[in-house]
Amino acid sequence: MQTKRLTATAALVAASVVGLSACSSSDNTSNPPPSSHKSGTTPSGTTTSSPGKATSSAPSAQASVITIKNYGYQGPGSVSSGASITVKNNDSVNHTVTADSGSAFDLTVNAGSSATFTAPAKPGSYPYHCTFHSDMHGTLVVK
């Protein structure tokens, strides 16, 4: 009776080892790791986004930069519709680039990092602000 228990236990241990080794395979092509973020900063400190949302996107028409420094926005002035806009936050606090009306874009940029979003497709002027700092305002002109 004890031999049957030992044999059953040995079989169970062997099955567990085989199961664990299959789980630790270095081939992740069939089961890629889940995304750890829906929007915001990636582990490298950079965020990419599609129109108004922080998600991965392919490069678009023309790259432009908005720099945040000393609690103010600098550049780019005007951009092409669908342009990729990188926001560089040179301050030591988090800021947002949030459209004043509608939901054209709303992006949080962590202190000392960069984030990217895609300019709206519809031409026009898009005033924006920082939701954390009421004195910060800018305007994005889409051609």
Side-chain angles (χ1 to χ4, degrees):
M1 186 73 163
Q2 190 170 5
T3 304
K4 287 182 182 180
R5 282 190 195 152
L6 288 176
T7 303
T9 302
L12 182 59
V13 169
S16 296
V17 170
V18 169
L20 287 175
S21 66
C23 290
S24 65
S25 169
S26 62
D27 178 22
N28 289 328
T29 56
S30 62
N31 292 317
S35 175
S36 61
H37 65 281
K38 292 181 182 177
S39 65
T41 305
T42 63
S44 65
T46 302
T47 302
T48 57
S49 71
S50 57
K53 304 295 179 192
T55 58
S56 181
S57 67
S60 43
Q62 175 187 10
S64 298
V65 177
I66 296 173
T67 301
I68 301 172
K69 185 175 182 180
N70 297 325
Y71 292 82
Y73 300 108
Q74 301 168 359
S78 64
V79 299
S80 299
S81 110
S84 176
I85 302 171
T86 299
V87 182
K88 294 181 179 180
N89 182 355
N90 292 335
D91 285 344
S92 60
V93 298
N94 296 349
H95 292 293
T96 71
V97 178
T98 304
D100 286 356
S101 62
S103 59
F105 49 88
D106 184 13
L107 185 67
T108 298
V109 189
N110 293 330
S113 68
S114 297
T116 303
F117 70 98
T118 302
K122 183 179 177 184
S125 290
Y126 293 85
Y128 59 89
H129 63 279
C130 175
T131 58
F132 303 137
H133 308 99
S134 61
D135 291 341
M136 291 179 63
H137 298 277
T139 301
L140 179 67
V141 177
V142 177
K143 294 182 178 182

